[in-house]
Amino acid sequence: MRPGWPPSRRNSRTTAPCSEGWRTTTPTTANKTIPRRPTPRTRPSNSIPTATTTTTDASVKDAPSSDCGYYFPSRDGYILSPSGLSTVVSQSQLGALSAFGGIAGLASAVGCNDLKSGLASDDGALLRAQRERYGSNALPLPPAPSLWVLLLAALEDPTMLMLLASAVVSLILGLGVERDFETGWIEGASIGVTVLLVVSVAALTDYAKAEEFRAQQLKLEDGKHVAVLRSGTSLSIHPRDLVVGDVVRLAVGDIAAADGVVIQGSDDMRMDESALTGETALI
């Protein structure tokens, strides 16, 4: 499924002892609003492998998907479309595994015909096709607040509002009541200019901090990597380069970059989702 979803799984961390080479096939889906499922998930685990190629099994029929206009393999009511895969994973619909003949059949239906070698690293057309059909394994950063928005936010401060109100009252009294057009405006204008300066400085400071924080986020994102099996070789790539059908290797302490289905690993595997849910108990 889409490695961006469910977001709740993206930062899960494997903590239980397990064999160094857990392999899983990570699906990526274009659907970004997948409901969070309560069950544990392994890193871009063989999350219901999702691929862009249709299966060669004649018993698996292509079914139209409204997600992006493509056709996806389907069987017994399970459609391997972005939304279909997200539903299978988020709701732990193990019936999909049986419907497609187990993990190997499910992986084959989404484009990974050999779990021991993974996708072909030199098949750029396949990787691009998978990414186009299911979306990229990345969540876009939230848009940075504009300077105008920060200015309005600073003006909402109660102190600023009271100062503006006093400036208006002072202008009304000086120009409207006392009719002193020579000096009656000075006090109100001074208060207004002071408020403008304070609000501008606060907004500029917040804007600079937001830009700095965004740069740090991008730097941290660029430093991430995941071990993936392609053409029988273990490669280290950025999580955003994962596609549906990839076979990912997990080790203790790794952060799950996508939902998946475990292909091989320790029976006592556990996930630490405390950073996401606040629950310290391993799942």
Side-chain angles (χ1 to χ4, degrees):
M1 277 78 189
R2 174 191 194 71
W5 64 253
S8 57
R9 229 72 58 209
R10 292 186 45 121
N11 296 320
S12 299
R13 186 182 295 274
T14 57
T15 57
C18 60
S19 57
E20 159 75 22
W22 276 346
R23 292 182 190 152
T24 53
T25 309
T26 62
T28 57
T29 127
N31 190 333
K32 298 182 180 177
T33 57
I34 311 302
R36 182 179 184 285
R37 58 174 190 77
T39 36
R41 264 302 157 255
T42 63
R43 151 187 275 236
S45 278
N46 168 74
S47 173
I48 304 161
T50 340
T52 45
T53 57
T54 57
T55 176
T56 56
D57 186 342
S59 62
V60 180
K61 299 177 294 182
D62 289 335
S65 168
S66 59
D67 290 292
C68 45
Y70 289 102
Y71 286 82
F72 302 94
S74 67
R75 180 181 288 178
D76 295 346
Y78 297 102
I79 301 177
L80 301 186
S81 65
S83 60
L85 285 170
S86 69
T87 300
V88 170
V89 171
S90 62
Q91 299 182 11
S92 300
Q93 296 179 343
L94 300 181
L97 292 177
S98 301
F100 285 90
I103 293 178
L106 185 61
S108 177
V110 295
C112 181
N113 297 318
D114 187 354
L115 294 176
K116 293 184 178 180
S117 62
L119 298 175
S121 60
D122 57 351
D123 192 348
L126 171 61
L127 299 179
R128 285 193 300 272
Q130 303 229 135
R131 196 168 288 114
E132 289 175 0
R133 293 186 72 182
Y134 295 94
S136 62
N137 184 32
L139 289 175
L141 292 176
S146 65
L147 184 59
W148 176 249
V149 171
L150 293 175
L151 282 171
L152 293 179
L155 280 174
E156 293 177 356
D157 183 273
T159 302
M160 297 297 103
L161 293 177
M162 287 188 292
L163 287 174
L164 286 176
S166 64
V168 172
V169 171
S170 177
L171 288 173
I172 293 176
L173 292 176
L175 300 177
V177 177
E178 298 178 359
R179 313 292 272 176
D180 184 0
F181 297 104
E182 183 176 350
T183 60
W185 57 272
I186 295 179
E187 183 178 352
S190 300
I191 296 175
V193 171
T194 301
V195 171
L196 180 61
L197 289 175
V198 172
V199 168
S200 299
V201 170
L204 288 172
T205 301
D206 290 341
Y207 184 78
K209 289 181 178 179
E211 288 297 314
E212 182 180 359
F213 179 69
R214 189 177 184 84
Q216 292 177 349
Q217 283 184 304
L218 293 173
K219 184 177 180 179
L220 289 175
E221 284 293 325
D222 291 338
K224 294 180 179 179
H225 67 276
V226 59
V228 62
L229 190 65
R230 289 182 179 174
S231 297
T233 303
S234 182
L235 305 175
S236 180
I237 65 176
H238 193 280
R240 72 168 68 96
D241 295 325
L242 287 172
V243 297
V244 172
D246 262 331
V247 176
V248 175
R249 303 189 66 181
L250 293 175
V252 175
D254 282 349
I255 295 178
D259 279 319
V261 173
V262 177
I263 298 174
Q264 179 184 0
S266 173
D267 293 334
D268 61 348
M269 181 181 66
R270 296 291 183 272
M271 303 296 293
D272 179 5
E273 296 187 350
S274 58
L276 301 171
T277 64
E279 300 176 2
T280 57
L282 300 180
I283 298 177

